[in-house]
Amino acid sequence: MDDVVIIGGGQAASACALRLRANGFEGRVAIYGAEPALPYQRPPLSKAYLKGRMEADRLLLRPAALYANLGIEIHSGVQALNLNTATRRVAMSDNANVPYGHLVLATGATPRRLPEAQGGGLENVFTLRSLSDADALRPHIRPGQRLLVVGGGYIGLEMAAVAARAGMEVTLIEAQPRILQRVAATETADAIRALHLREGVDLREGVSLDRLLGDGKRAGLAALSDGSAVGVDLVVVGIGVTANEQLARNAGLSVQNGILTDGQCRAFAPGIYAAGDCAVFPFRGQPTRLESVQNACDQGEYVADHICGTAKGPYAPQPWFWSDQFDSSLKIAGLNRGHDRVIRRVGEKPGAESIWYYAGETFLAVDALDDPRAYMMGKRWLAEGVSPDPKALADPSIPLKTIGLLTQTAESTA
Amino acid sequence: MITLTFIEPDGTAKPVSVAPGLTLMEAAMRNNIRGVVAECGGQCSCATCHMQIDAAYFDRVGAPVDDEEDMLDFAEERGETSRLGCQVEIEDSFDGMVIRIPSVQG
């Protein structure tokens, strides 16, 4: 029983394994990851790495020697094929049939692809999620070439920003009425849109892709829903991800938009946990799946603590996110789900602003654009479970540190 | 290679041998220094690689500017020699420097 097998070799897996050892766990710890690389950071793939400003070895979360010294086995390039919860074994693509006492499913997520009928199989159509995706994409980022980005979420917008700065002619289409429709307020979307328009991105909202047209191998033209067509040399699709839940589903675990877990990250089967992008967990009373570094790290560590018997209470994350586009940095603290109003605050420095989300009198989240002070203050208020006075927030002449608090909220207790 | 000593939050001193050119955050992560979270991986986005620099070396390391200064201004345990480790590239002149990791990050 005294062993932990981790399926998936990303940030959650690495965080879990390291925490187990930090906790003094002495049993076997083994990571099985389908990708060929050691656990690495994904966020730079659509930022510094894509620009060619970061070497591959600096993407690694930890060097191989560190895992080896801690007795953490890493089996890279090995896929888990079948999970048997009765015999407590996982069949692997290298023919191993691995027994487990504790099993951590940290399988991550896979980008949605464009359907074949729309041209998704053409060779100049890419998604951006893995190191191999980024390596395949990077040589195509060339001045004067025409890029179509499908999808105005963070990945699509970051891709557009890198490409525009590299001298590409960039068109970005978003099928929803505006960019960041599902994840951010209109005010935040307005600020991000302005960045892209200033940098010459042809950003079209409420426009979807009908299909890509080409010579059967490469896309050369994109037919859009507004009746127009744009010439393309490169297409990057950023239309969201789906949780990697097949292994769990086939094993009879509960899945719905991810692997369902209880408040302690347990996947409703003996000895099995789920962590990271693949996991659905209760947050403020709702099933929630987060795609973020914060959640991957915190859930991975929570699972390690739970296995070691040192977890205190249920998993109660403090979500945060970030996105870098052009020279701007968007930092987000909290989760804005369920907000019914926003407060916009103009920051102290030129171009700085923050958007504060409330549900009634309860502060939920802040989007801080080039305003690290607002981000840091918001993050602290969320951690303390307090709500700043929205009227004071709206007045930029009142310093953040002097803003009064409304009420205690249940925010920090999930 | 030069030698740096990280003081972990519980007071443990860990001397490490590191190559100039890496950042202090990277040096800490590669050597499994406790108390350094570094969630954003070095983008100056999270303030979870807060470190306090040996005062005797602080003029070689230099003071924080811009976003880093703003983030540190709101960080727990801000000291006079606080830096975010991801924003400090290690130089040969740092040899022998002691870096203290605060007990809380963020």
Side-chain angles (χ1 to χ4, degrees), chain A residues 207-277:
Chain A
V207 174
S208 57
L209 176 70
D210 284 343
R211 58 172 304 182
L212 299 172
L213 306 166
D215 58 8
K217 279 183 71 182
R218 293 175 56 81
L221 200 67
L224 307 180
S225 64
D226 62 2
S228 69
V230 295
V232 297
D233 300 299
L234 177 67
V235 179
V236 176
V237 179
I239 52 175
V241 299
T242 51
N244 293 333
E245 59 187 28
Q246 303 87 335
L247 182 75
R249 188 200 296 121
N250 293 343
L253 300 185
S254 299
V255 296
Q256 189 170 18
N257 178 37
I259 302 166
L260 300 188
T261 64
D262 66 9
Q264 297 172 79
C265 301
R266 294 176 296 198
F268 304 104
I272 304 182
Y273 298 84
D277 288 10

Side-chain angles (χ1 to χ4, degrees), chain A residues 107-358:
Chain A
T107 49
T110 301
R112 289 199 188 91
R113 303 194 71 91
L114 212 55
E116 289 276 337
Q118 279 180 287
L122 296 167
E123 65 185 32
N124 54 342
V125 180
F126 294 84
T127 53
L128 181 49
R129 167 88 186 171
S130 67
L131 180 55
S132 59
D133 289 340
D135 285 338
L137 187 53
R138 218 154 61 155
H140 298 275
I141 299 174
R142 294 202 303 267
Q145 298 274 293
R146 299 160 302 171
L147 166 68
L148 174 69
V149 177
V150 180
Y154 288 118
I155 285 286
L157 290 163
E158 288 177 4
M159 178 70 221
V162 169
R165 274 289 166 87
M168 295 187 84
E169 291 174 29
V170 182
T171 304
L172 182 147
I173 57 171
E174 168 54 55
Q176 297 290 318
R178 63 169 174 84
I179 56 169
L180 302 174
Q181 176 91 24
R182 285 170 305 155
V183 292
T186 306
E187 288 80 352
T188 300
D190 289 348
I192 299 291
R193 180 189 306 107
L195 291 178
H196 284 261
L197 295 179
R198 199 182 305 145
E199 298 276 349
V201 174
D202 179 359
L203 193 152
R204 305 189 194 182
E205 297 161 296
V207 174
S208 57
L209 176 70
D210 284 343
R211 58 172 304 182
L212 299 172
L213 306 166
D215 58 8
K217 279 183 71 182
R218 293 175 56 81
L221 200 67
L224 307 180
S225 64
D226 62 2
S228 69
V230 295
V232 297
D233 300 299
L234 177 67
V235 179
V236 176
V237 179
I239 52 175
V241 299
T242 51
N244 293 333
E245 59 187 28
Q246 303 87 335
L247 182 75
R249 188 200 296 121
N250 293 343
L253 300 185
S254 299
V255 296
Q256 189 170 18
N257 178 37
I259 302 166
L260 300 188
T261 64
D262 66 9
Q264 297 172 79
C265 301
R266 294 176 296 198
F268 304 104
I272 304 182
Y273 298 84
D277 288 10
C278 70
V280 176
F281 62 97
F283 184 66
R284 288 195 220 125
Q286 281 186 56
T288 303
R289 192 171 66 76
L290 296 178
E291 295 160 10
S292 74
V293 167
Q294 167 274 320
N295 189 57
C297 291
D298 290 353
Q299 246 176 348
E301 293 185 350
Y302 180 89
V303 167
D305 289 350
H306 197 275
I307 288 169
C308 296
T310 57
K312 295 180 187 74
Y315 175 59
Q318 297 291 333
W320 75 274
F321 312 83
W322 81 96
S323 177
D324 296 334
Q325 296 170 40
F326 302 106
D327 301 319
S328 286
S329 162
L330 176 66
K331 303 185 208 306
I332 301 164
L335 202 61
N336 66 24
R337 186 176 64 196
H339 73 272
D340 52 24
R341 60 175 168 151
V342 300
I343 308 292
R344 180 169 177 270
R345 178 182 171 88
V346 176
E348 291 165 31
K349 293 182 178 169
E353 65 176 290
S354 51
I355 309 297
W356 302 74
Y357 297 80
Y358 283 78

